[in-house]
Amino acid sequence: MADRNKVPADIKIVVLLVSLTCAFILLPPLSDTAIRTILGLPMVLFLPGYALIAALFPKKDDLDGIERVALSFGLSIAVVPLIGLGLNYTPWGIRLLPILVSLSFFTIAMCVVAVFRRRVLPEGEEFSVPFNATYLSLREELSRKPDNRLDRVLSVILVLSIIASMVTLAYVVVTPKEGEKFTEFYILGMDGMADGYPVNFTLGQSGNVIVGVVNHEYEVTDYSMGLLLENGSSSVGHERLFMSLGHNETWEEELSFTPESVGDDMKLQFLLYKDGNMTVPYRDLHLWIDVMES
């Protein structure tokens, strides 16, 4: 007779996977390994949905195994964005740590509910994953001698195919794909939005914008940035900036400049150069500004 006070095996595995995922994401020596990605995928795509299904359907006759697995994926895809949407309206925002804490709390909370709901059911009606029976069946099948040589060869080929598929899947998941190489270059108003730019000046007045550069070049890249007013016929009170960014690294700073000549509809260019090539800008942005006499 099973001990009903014990935590079911499937719930133990879910809690263990959540704990391991948190460890491999938060601890620096572990967070740099590929295991972080391997654990992170079920944490996002399967475990929240499985825990919710376990809480909603504690009886073994509520759903069969295939339905539980399918719904676990589907509900995870639905629950995770909803949690992210809720975090978007909190002071913590959609960042790694708040998302990890929220997903972990939700999954473990649903596991606790599932355990209590199974315990109040009559004995034998609660859902459980037959890990032990499956293991014994597999061991018996593997230990039994095949009837002929062909069966033995086919069994070996099947096992090798399964192992090869798992290795291939793991390689595809953990190996980073090198996509298109490019650099983001943007300017924002002082409110952090793509509007509200300073375009009207009196001579000697300074303007401020937020300038950002994001490196997606898959290598460390050196950048330099300068300002040009009216193709160099007028000057801007600002010195050239230099920065070196690693892949996916972002540089963003407030930039102050002072137009030093009078004119209407003058083109103020923000020029970004890459790897010391100062002949042709790699990226360029511009504002049309008016400068009046003071």
Side-chain angles (χ1 to χ4, degrees):
M1 182 179 297
D3 186 354
R4 293 173 61 82
N5 291 322
K6 287 185 177 181
V7 178
D10 59 325
I11 300 300
K12 286 182 179 179
I13 292 175
V14 171
V15 174
L16 176 62
L17 288 175
V18 170
S19 303
L20 287 175
T21 303
C22 292
F24 274 89
I25 289 178
L26 298 178
L27 300 180
L30 302 177
S31 61
D32 296 330
T33 64
I35 299 177
R36 166 178 170 161
T37 304
I38 296 174
L39 292 173
L41 289 175
M43 179 69 178
V44 174
L45 299 177
F46 183 78
L47 297 183
Y50 183 86
L52 180 58
I53 288 294
L56 293 176
F57 303 102
K59 290 185 179 181
K60 64 180 180 181
D61 295 332
D62 288 336
L63 297 170
D64 60 31
I66 296 178
E67 290 173 332
R68 286 180 183 271
V69 172
L71 286 174
S72 296
F73 282 106
L75 284 180
S76 294
I77 295 172
V79 166
V80 173
L82 289 176
I83 292 176
L85 181 63
L87 286 174
N88 187 50
Y89 294 98
T90 68
W92 304 290
I94 304 177
R95 293 182 290 112
L96 176 61
L97 184 58
I99 289 176
L100 179 64
V101 172
S102 300
L103 284 180
S104 300
F105 177 80
F106 174 84
T107 304
I108 293 177
M110 291 300 100
C111 287
V112 171
V113 173
V115 170
F116 279 100
R117 293 202 66 191
R118 290 182 188 180
R119 285 182 179 177
V120 300
L121 292 173
E123 187 172 356
E125 292 188 10
E126 70 277 6
F127 172 76
S128 62
V129 180
F131 290 111
N132 189 49
T134 302
Y135 167 74
L136 292 176
S137 176
L138 287 174
R139 189 176 68 174
E140 180 181 354
E141 185 69 22
L142 292 174
S143 60
R144 188 179 63 184
K145 290 186 177 181
D147 296 334
N148 54 56
R149 185 179 182 84
L150 178 60
D151 288 343
R152 184 181 305 173
V153 172
L154 291 176
S155 299
V156 172
I157 292 175
L158 177 61
V159 172
L160 292 177
S161 300
I162 294 173
I163 294 174
S165 300
M166 294 176 63
V167 171
T168 303
L169 177 62
Y171 175 79
V172 170
V173 169
V174 304
T175 302
K177 311 299 184 300
E178 185 171 315
E180 180 184 359
K181 297 181 180 181
F182 66 98
T183 295
E184 293 182 49
F185 183 40
Y186 58 87
I187 53 175
L188 306 172
M190 293 308 297
D191 58 356
M193 305 295 289
D195 58 12
Y197 301 112
V199 294
N200 296 304
F201 297 84
T202 56
L203 192 61
Q205 180 184 1
S206 296
N208 295 281
V209 294
I210 297 173
V211 180
V213 179
V214 186
N215 178 10
H216 296 293
E217 304 287 347
Y218 289 89
E219 61 183 1
V220 177
T221 306
D222 296 324
Y223 299 98
S224 62
M225 194 198 72
L227 272 65
L228 196 65
L229 184 58
E230 285 293 279
N231 296 322
S233 60
S234 304
S235 60
V236 182
H238 182 270
E239 295 184 357
R240 186 177 298 275
L241 295 173
F242 298 90
M243 66 212 75
S244 181
L245 303 178
H247 177 58
N248 282 337
E249 188 176 354
T250 300
W251 175 91
E252 186 176 279
E253 284 191 10
E254 179 181 337
L255 182 67
S256 179
F257 59 92
T258 307
E260 297 179 353
S261 60
V262 177
D264 295 329
D265 290 329
M266 293 191 295
K267 187 177 183 180
L268 174 61
Q269 294 179 284
F270 297 76
L271 304 177
L272 184 70
Y273 299 90
K274 174 187 172 186
D275 292 334
N277 182 0
M278 309 302 295
T279 305
V280 180
Y282 183 56
R283 295 285 185 270
D284 69 274
L285 303 166
H286 66 269
L287 296 174
W288 295 99
I289 65 173
D290 297 329
V291 183
M292 301 181 298
E293 290 281 0
S294 56

